[in-house]
Each structure stands twice: as C-alpha cells, then as structure tokens.
C-alpha cells in the first residue's frame, strides 16, 4: 500500500482568489482567529484545467463536467451514426431524463412531483426550439463513455422502434446495461483522481483517489477593501463615472493533497504508465495552478514557495494543518519554531513550523516513508533532501513509484 502526500506553503499577494456569496475572500476560524481560505473545489478545478496538466494527456483520457450531455450525445450521433431526425430527437430527449432523482414529493396538482418543462409566461411549456437540452445534474464524463452511450441508444432505438423507445425509462436503461456487463466506466485521469457520483444514470460512481484539503492561511488575516472609480472616457466630464469597492487580502497558505496509489491504479484499470504520469502532472499542477478569481484585478500569480513530498508505505493520511493552530506571528514565539532567528518572514516561519511539526509526527508516530522537498527561500537546515528544481523533485518522485505490479 502506498500513499503520496504533498504539503505546500504558498504566499499570495493581494487577491480575491475564491469568493463567498458576498463577494468577499472565503475565510474560516482556526485556533480562535480568522484565516483566509481557498476551497478544495477551487483548488481542484484550477489544477484540472491548468494548461500544463491538460497538455500532459491526450483528450480521450480527460473528462468534462457538464449538464449538456444531451447535446454531447447529439453531436456524437451526427458525427458517428446515420440516424434520421426523429431518431436523433427521441434519443436526445431520452438522455435529458438521465441523472434525475427517482423519488420526488407530490406536486400541488396531485402529480408525483415530476419536473415541468420551463416555458415563458403566455407561450406554453414546450421546450423552445433553439434551447439546449440539459440533464438535471452536472455529470463528470469522458468522451469514450458518451460514445458508448450514444451507440447503445442507437442500437436500442432501432431494436424497439420509435414507439417502443418512447416507452423506455432511465431505470430500464440502467437495468439492461448492468445485465450486459455493468455500468459505463471511464478511463479518465481526472475522474480517476477526483471521483464522481451520479444518480439514476448509466455511469458508474468512482471513488476519488485524490483528496484535496481547503487551503488556509498560516496566520491571522483581516479582509481589506479597495475603493475604486472609473472615468467615462467620452463624456468630457471630470469625476467618476462609477464607484465601487472590492474585497481582498494577502496571505501565506498551507495546502495539503494526498494520493492513494492503489486507488488511482484501480480507477485507471492498472495502467501504471498513465498513473505515474497522472501523479507527476498533479505535482506540477499543485505547485503552479492558481484559482482564477479576480485575477484580472489583482494578478496574484504567485507560485508555491515550498513543497514537502512524502511517499509512505502505509495509507495513513496525515495533514500537518495543526502546525498552524497557533497562528504564525512575526517576532512572537511559536510552539513549532523552537529557536526563531531574526529577521524572519511569515513565509519562512511557516516553512520552519511545518518542517518541525512534520518531523515530530513522523518520529513519534513512527511513520516510515521517503521524503523530499523543494524550496525557494534559503533554509538554514533542512532535515530532508532538498531539490533545486521542480523537475529534479519530479524525477525523484518518479523513482519512488512502482512501474509494474509486484
């Protein structure tokens, strides 16, 4: 059994990378003080759509999250199947029913709470001619799965005929697919990593092999507000054409990611080469991908300053977040910084606290494994092997991963 863990310290200049419903930077209370926070969802999306991550793989092993599955199927029908207009429309409308909840409370009119097509007032309830067909829930799907579904539905349509196909339900579809070999299963890197869950659909649920924690600041943070104006370039008038304000902060974050190697292999059907490439691509993305929130206003494109990589022979996930329960403060003593020396920054103090706490956990819990790091700030002493470049750290990690079944 093998667990791979990434522990990062990353400082961001003034920014609003991940907003709450008020438009303010997300935050949380840890150790009795307010910290800045970046949600795991924002982290995962930024890594999944990071250009180097996507360029590392061919399109057929990457997935898309969408409600537009019916239109995706329509495209597959037009490209790969010769079906008439009526067959295409029936198949697309059937796909629209996938992913809906099976049990719904009774409607006010005595119906079983089925969803009514949305229509504009006074214009009936028929779907508008040019309106895209959607499923009720977002689905995380690979191209191969959509092509399999399309082929299966075309075959079923011509087997049952138009009238028989019109009576087909999503439950009928799922039952028959299960009987004929099981639900559609992806061969996709990002689904294998981050998992998926769908309801009432022919697509198999996938348990995530990668866990991503919410990033949080290692120190206390207060939200600030930028008051701004915009001038009308054509009016010739002095003064502001509009006024506004935007919330922001600046923080040093702790980020934690773990990868269950055997789970990743299982999700990728024991493709060792692809699993290895996935781990290395995730390492690169973890260090360089940044959420896109308000970047046109702040351009806080700050890469990771430090990463500790662990390859453990037991699947005991351990976050080092508790190194920062006591917030890092300049010129103040800290539980996990035994001998602070001046001058120090929040960044270097955070790295020092992380390394000290990690060493305490590893020693006292006797957690065996291989460890290495990459650091931008110069550290006086590093208890583990430190690499000078990201590529050399990646090469080290590659040697730690098994390349065949043993």
């Amino acid at each position: 059994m093998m667990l791979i863990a990434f522990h990062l310290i990353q400082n961001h200049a003034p920014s609003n990378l991940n907003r709450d419903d008020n438009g303010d930077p997300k935050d949380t209370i840890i150790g009795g003080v307010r910290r800045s926070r970046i949600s795991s969802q924002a982290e995962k999306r930024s890594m999944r759509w990071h250009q180097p991550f996507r360029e590392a793989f061919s399109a057929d092993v990457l997935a898309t999250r969408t409600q537009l599955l019916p239109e995706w199927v329509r495209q597959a029908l037009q490209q790969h199947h010769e079906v008439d207009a009526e067959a295409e429309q029936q198949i697309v409308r059937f796909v629209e029913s996938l992913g809906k909840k099976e049990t719904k409370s009774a409607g006010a009119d005595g119906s079983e709470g089925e969803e009514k097509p949305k229509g504009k007032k006074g214009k009936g309830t028929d779907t508008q001619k040019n309106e895209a067909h959607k499923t009720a829930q977002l689905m995380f799907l690979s191209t191969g799965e959509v092509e399999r579904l399309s082929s299966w539905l075309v075959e079923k349509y011509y087997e049952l005929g138009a009238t028989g196909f019109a009576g087909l339900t999503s439950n009928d579809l799922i039952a028959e697919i299960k009987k004929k070999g099981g639900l559609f299963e992806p061969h996709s890197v990002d689904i294998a990593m981050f998992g998926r869950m769908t309801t009432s659909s022919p697509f198999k649920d996938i348990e995530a092999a990668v866990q991503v924690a919410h990033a949080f600041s290692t120190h206390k943070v207060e939200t600030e507000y930028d008051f701004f104006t915009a001038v009308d370039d054509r009016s010739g008038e002095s003064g502001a054409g509009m006024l506004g304000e935007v919330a922001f902060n600046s923080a040093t974050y702790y980020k934690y990611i773990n990868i269950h190697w055997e789970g990743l292999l299982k999700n990728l059907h024991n493709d060792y080469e692809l699993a290895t490439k996935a781990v290395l691509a995730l390492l690169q993305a973890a260090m360089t991908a940044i959420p896109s929130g308000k970047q046109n206003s702040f351009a806080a494109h700050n890469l990771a300053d430090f990463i500790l990589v662990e390859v453990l022979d037991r699947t005991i996930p351990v976050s080092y977040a508790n190194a920062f329960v006591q917030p890092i403060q300049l010129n103040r003593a800290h539980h996990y910084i035994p001998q602070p020396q001046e001058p120090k920054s929040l960044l270097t103090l955070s790295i020092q606290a992380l390394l000290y706490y990690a060493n305490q956990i590893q020693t006292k819990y006797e957690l065996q494994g291989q460890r290495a790091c990459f650091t931008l700030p110069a550290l006086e002493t590093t208890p583990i092997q430190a690499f000078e470049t990201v590529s050399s750290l990646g090469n080290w990690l590659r040697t730690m991963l098994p390349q065949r079944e043993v």
Side-chain angles (χ1 to χ4, degrees), residues 27-185:
D27 59 15
T28 187
I29 300 293
I30 298 176
V33 300
R34 190 167 300 280
R35 316 293 185 95
S36 184
R37 176 173 64 90
I38 301 174
S39 72
S40 61
Q41 293 88 343
E43 292 283 342
K44 284 185 280 190
R45 179 167 175 79
S46 67
M47 291 188 290
R48 191 165 65 84
W49 281 96
H50 192 43
Q51 185 176 348
F53 180 88
R54 299 193 79 78
E55 288 177 348
F57 307 98
S58 58
D60 61 319
V61 294
L62 292 172
T64 300
R65 180 177 285 115
T66 184
Q67 284 183 280
L68 294 173
L69 175 60
E71 298 302 329
W72 197 351
V73 168
R74 187 197 300 277
Q75 185 180 39
L77 294 177
Q78 294 172 351
Q79 291 179 347
H80 306 296
H81 302 277
E82 295 182 3
V83 297
D84 56 49
E86 181 183 357
E88 178 184 303
Q89 192 62 13
Q90 279 211 46
I91 290 172
V92 168
R93 286 190 178 278
F94 175 82
V95 175
E96 193 174 5
S97 72
L98 299 178
K100 291 184 178 179
K101 295 179 181 178
E102 294 299 320
T103 57
K104 295 176 182 163
S105 58
D109 60 355
S111 68
E112 290 302 312
E114 66 270 15
E115 296 185 5
K116 300 289 190 287
K118 295 179 180 178
K120 292 186 179 178
K121 193 173 182 179
K123 296 192 177 181
T125 58
D126 290 340
T127 302
Q128 298 298 309
K129 204 167 191 181
N130 297 323
E131 185 179 341
H133 293 267
K134 295 182 179 181
T135 56
Q137 65 178 207
L138 280 167
M139 294 186 181
F140 200 13
L141 306 169
S142 65
T143 301
E145 291 177 295
V146 175
E147 291 177 352
R148 285 183 62 196
L149 175 63
S150 304
S151 298
W152 193 95
L153 289 173
V154 168
E155 181 183 328
K156 204 66 186 171
Y157 179 85
Y158 287 112
E159 176 189 326
L160 298 176
T163 303
F165 188 84
L168 189 69
T169 68
S170 60
N171 281 341
D172 296 334
L173 170 72
I174 294 167
E176 187 158 344
I177 290 176
K178 283 182 176 179
K179 190 184 299 182
K180 289 188 174 180
L183 298 177
F184 298 149
E185 189 171 353

Side-chain angles (χ1 to χ4, degrees), residues 316-327:
I316 303 177
V318 180
S319 164
Y320 297 143
N322 283 352
F324 309 109
V325 170
Q326 179 188 355

